[in-house]
Amino acid sequence: AAELEYESVLCVKPDVNVYRIPPRTSNRGYRASDWKLDHPDWTGRLRVTSKGKTAYIKLEDKVSGELFAQAPIDQYPGIAVETVADSSRYFVIRIQDGTGRSAFIGIGFTDRGDAFDFNVSLQDHFKWVKQETEISKESQEADTRPKLDLGFKEGQTIKLNIGNMTSKKGGAAKPRVSGSGGLSLLPPPPGGKIAVPPIPPPSSTAIANHVTPPPVQKSSNASSADILLDLDAPSSASKAPVSATADLWGDFSTASSAVPNQAPQQSNWVQF
């Protein structure tokens, strides 16, 4: 499984200074002021990588990329990487070679932002390691727990009770009342009939002549029955001559005779 793991790069900083630090004589933390900060012992490139759950701080040459020293880190914060007490740009790391020998050296960054990125890359990696450990632990505990058998036993049945549904096919369906267009119509209000006034029939004489007879003046003592009788026989009540009302179309033919005679106009057209 270790051979199948691949190495990923977490952080790369092009400028880092390496210092030889004196041995710690007391339990107090390291102090960068005790180092010769103006005269670093080595200058190169820093690269932080990870392979599996282990992180590596690699000090490499800027030009050739040759490895100068390497510090494997199993946990952070820990003894493999420590911060100094008087600055946030300097750290103490424990380097190891292939034979198992180890030594403590100091590293420092010129830019404070580079030191911040270096610190955050290590924190994010070991935060992920912690989460992966918790997930694997929970999965192992779940495997050891007895599993619940939720399947049906032989001959076991269940009954579902769904309300407002008929169990038989062809049940009586609820009637739907709808009008034209799928919209329900309201019934007419009670007593809503409106009486339409009757239209009086036209007189036979007016239909025959296509002209309404002139009104006839009656005395104030005349009854309504006499008025109706007069409407039926307008010819007898009117003192106008019968020929004037009977022949209405004749007025159009005699209209030319009523017009005074005019002198004939000369025309240049030849009559055929």
Side-chain angles (χ1 to χ4, degrees), residues 203-214 234 244-249 251-252:
S203 60
S204 58
T205 307
I207 295 175
N209 298 330
H210 298 280
V211 176
T212 305
T245 59
D247 191 5
L248 296 177
W249 297 102
D251 295 338
F252 291 95

Coordinates of all heavy atoms in Angstrom, one line a residue, residues 203-214 234 244-249 251-252:
S203 N -100.4 47.8 -37.6 CA -101.7 47.8 -38.3 C -101.6 47.2 -39.7 O -100.6 47.3 -40.3 CB -102.3 49.2 -38.3 OG -101.4 50.0 -39.0
S204 N -102.7 46.6 -40.1 CA -102.8 46.0 -41.4 C -102.6 47.0 -42.5 O -102.0 46.8 -43.6 CB -104.1 45.2 -41.6 OG -105.2 46.1 -41.4
T205 N -103.2 48.3 -42.3 CA -103.1 49.3 -43.3 C -101.7 49.8 -43.5 O -101.2 50.0 -44.6 CB -104.0 50.4 -43.0 OG1 -105.3 50.0 -42.7 CG2 -104.0 51.5 -44.1
A206 N -100.9 49.9 -42.3 CA -99.5 50.3 -42.4 C -98.6 49.3 -43.1 O -97.7 49.7 -43.8 CB -99.0 50.6 -41.0
I207 N -98.9 48.0 -42.9 CA -98.1 47.0 -43.6 C -98.4 47.0 -45.1 O -97.5 46.8 -45.9 CB -98.5 45.6 -43.0 CG1 -98.0 45.6 -41.6 CG2 -97.8 44.5 -43.8 CD1 -98.4 44.3 -40.9
A208 N -99.7 47.3 -45.4 CA -100.0 47.3 -46.9 C -99.4 48.4 -47.6 O -98.9 48.3 -48.7 CB -101.6 47.3 -47.0
N209 N -99.4 49.6 -47.0 CA -99.0 50.8 -47.6 C -97.5 51.1 -47.3 O -97.0 52.0 -47.9 CB -99.8 52.0 -47.2 CG -101.3 51.8 -47.7 OD1 -101.6 51.1 -48.7 ND2 -102.2 52.4 -46.9
H210 N -96.9 50.4 -46.4 CA -95.5 50.6 -46.0 C -95.3 52.0 -45.5 O -94.2 52.5 -45.4 CB -94.5 50.4 -47.1 CG -94.6 49.0 -47.7 ND1 -93.9 48.0 -47.0 CD2 -95.2 48.5 -48.7 CE1 -94.1 46.8 -47.7 NE2 -95.0 47.1 -48.7
V211 N -96.4 52.7 -45.0 CA -96.3 54.1 -44.5 C -97.2 54.2 -43.3 O -98.3 53.7 -43.3 CB -96.7 55.1 -45.6 CG1 -96.7 56.5 -44.9 CG2 -95.8 55.1 -46.8
T212 N -96.7 54.7 -42.2 CA -97.5 54.9 -41.0 C -98.5 56.0 -41.2 O -98.1 57.1 -41.6 CB -96.6 55.2 -39.8 OG1 -95.6 54.1 -39.7 CG2 -97.4 55.3 -38.5
P213 N -99.8 55.8 -40.9 CA -100.8 56.8 -41.1 C -100.6 58.0 -40.1 O -100.0 57.8 -39.1 CB -102.1 56.1 -40.8 CG -101.7 55.0 -39.9 CD -100.4 54.5 -40.4
P214 N -101.0 59.1 -40.6 CA -100.8 60.3 -39.7 C -101.7 60.2 -38.5 O -102.7 59.6 -38.5 CB -101.2 61.5 -40.6 CG -102.1 60.9 -41.6 CD -101.6 59.5 -41.8
P234 N -107.9 54.0 -40.5 CA -107.4 55.3 -40.6 C -108.0 56.0 -41.8 O -108.1 57.2 -41.9 CB -105.9 55.2 -40.8 CG -105.7 53.8 -41.3 CD -106.8 53.0 -40.8
A244 N -105.2 60.0 -52.5 CA -103.9 60.6 -52.1 C -103.2 59.6 -51.2 O -101.9 59.5 -51.3 CB -104.1 61.9 -51.3
T245 N -103.9 58.8 -50.4 CA -103.2 57.8 -49.5 C -103.1 56.5 -50.1 O -102.2 55.7 -49.8 CB -103.9 57.7 -48.2 OG1 -105.3 57.3 -48.4 CG2 -103.9 59.0 -47.4
A246 N -104.0 56.1 -51.0 CA -103.9 54.8 -51.6 C -102.8 54.6 -52.6 O -102.2 53.6 -52.7 CB -105.3 54.5 -52.3
D247 N -102.7 55.7 -53.4 CA -101.6 55.6 -54.5 C -100.5 56.5 -54.1 O -100.4 57.6 -54.4 CB -102.2 56.1 -55.8 CG -101.3 55.7 -56.9 OD1 -100.3 55.0 -56.7 OD2 -101.6 56.1 -58.1
L248 N -99.6 55.9 -53.3 CA -98.4 56.6 -52.8 C -97.3 56.7 -53.9 O -96.6 57.6 -53.9 CB -97.8 56.0 -51.5 CG -98.8 56.0 -50.3 CD1 -98.1 55.2 -49.2 CD2 -99.1 57.4 -49.9
W249 N -97.2 55.7 -54.7 CA -96.2 55.7 -55.7 C -96.5 56.6 -56.8 O -95.7 57.0 -57.6 CB -96.0 54.3 -56.2 CG -95.5 53.3 -55.2 CD1 -96.2 52.4 -54.5 CD2 -94.2 53.3 -54.7 NE1 -95.5 51.8 -53.6 CE2 -94.2 52.3 -53.7 CE3 -93.0 53.9 -54.9 CZ2 -93.1 51.9 -52.9 CZ3 -91.9 53.6 -54.2 CH2 -91.9 52.6 -53.2
D251 N -97.3 59.7 -56.5 CA -96.7 61.0 -56.2 C -95.4 61.2 -56.9 O -95.0 62.3 -57.3 CB -96.6 61.3 -54.7 CG -98.0 61.3 -54.1 OD1 -98.9 61.6 -54.8 OD2 -98.0 61.1 -52.8
F252 N -94.6 60.1 -57.0 CA -93.3 60.2 -57.6 C -93.4 60.5 -59.1 O -92.6 61.1 -59.7 CB -92.5 58.9 -57.4 CG -92.1 58.7 -56.0 CD1 -92.9 57.9 -55.1 CD2 -91.0 59.3 -55.5 CE1 -92.5 57.7 -53.8 CE2 -90.6 59.2 -54.2 CZ -91.4 58.4 -53.3

